[in-house]
Amino acid sequence: MTIPYPFPYQGSKRNLAKTILQYLPTDTNRLIEPFAGAGAVSLAAAYENRATSFVLNDINQPLMRLWHQIVYFPDQIASQYEELWEAQLGNEKDFYVEIRSAFNKIHEPDYFLYLLARCVKAAVRYNANGEFNQSADNRRKGTQPQTLKKQIKQVSRLLKGRIAFSATDFQEVITSIQPKDVIYFDPPYQGVSRNRDSRYVTGIEFEQFVSTLNCLNEQNVSFIVSYDGKTGVKAFGKPLPKYLALQHIEIDAGRSAQATLLGRHSRTYESLYVAPALQKRLQRNKFHFAPVAA
């Protein structure tokens, strides 16, 4: 069995998850993701038995309702998706618009799963009124129902009974941290979000986020942050300030898809930051940090 992923999601760390797991100490109890999205790091950690339990939080409430259904009612959500997938056949374009309109009224998890499977670049986007407004990728029908059912059931087996869900502000979910917990932050990506990331009704302010990390340092909390990056010589977003004393690692994320389209050969590097408390835990495990790529 490979690591199962129940739905596509732009910004997912599925291709980097195993690399990020290198920075989880062997004594990790809870792994907490305040910006869960596709939960790729938690899924990889569950698959590799790198943590005892998990907390997935995202301010996107329909997303967290979908996660709950996947883990605790896998057969039901898989069946509902199959019904939608079959109902679209021969009328995919108009059917997507109908389901999107219905989702914006009642926020049913199966509707959201169908939209994620069909929308352009698996990119969740909302308008200023909080309505899902991403278009369909009309070149494809979405994941085949039997394939998706298999993935969903595997996710349920990995996480059922060892995970908690919430849909609240990221600061609220990190208030009861224990010494052996690790927080993995993957906030809205600066390179595309500008003033407000359209995945969320409200954005994440840089200064607010930095202040939160500083407070966690003062409490000796272990955390990892995915935040900025670069493609070639082009940097995305401001690096986190040096006074936080975070260990900076650059992860090679491969060739840039956009650069490839333009005939270039630039590679993308994503930044990972490791908190001082976590650095100490890793060093006790004889872990050695590699130098940052030039």
Side-chain angles (χ1 to χ4, degrees), residues 105-132:
K105 294 176 182 176
I106 58 177
H107 294 156
E108 287 295 327
D110 57 318
Y111 289 179
F112 196 37
L113 181 58
Y114 172 78
L115 294 174
L116 288 173
R118 288 279 324 274
C119 69
V120 173
K121 297 181 180 179
V124 176
R125 295 290 181 264
Y126 294 93
N127 62 23
N129 296 321
E131 297 171 327
F132 185 91

Side-chain angles (χ1 to χ4, degrees), residues 96-110:
Y96 178 92
V97 173
E98 291 173 11
I99 295 301
R100 185 178 62 185
S101 178
F103 170 75
N104 283 328
K105 294 176 182 176
I106 58 177
H107 294 156
E108 287 295 327
D110 57 318

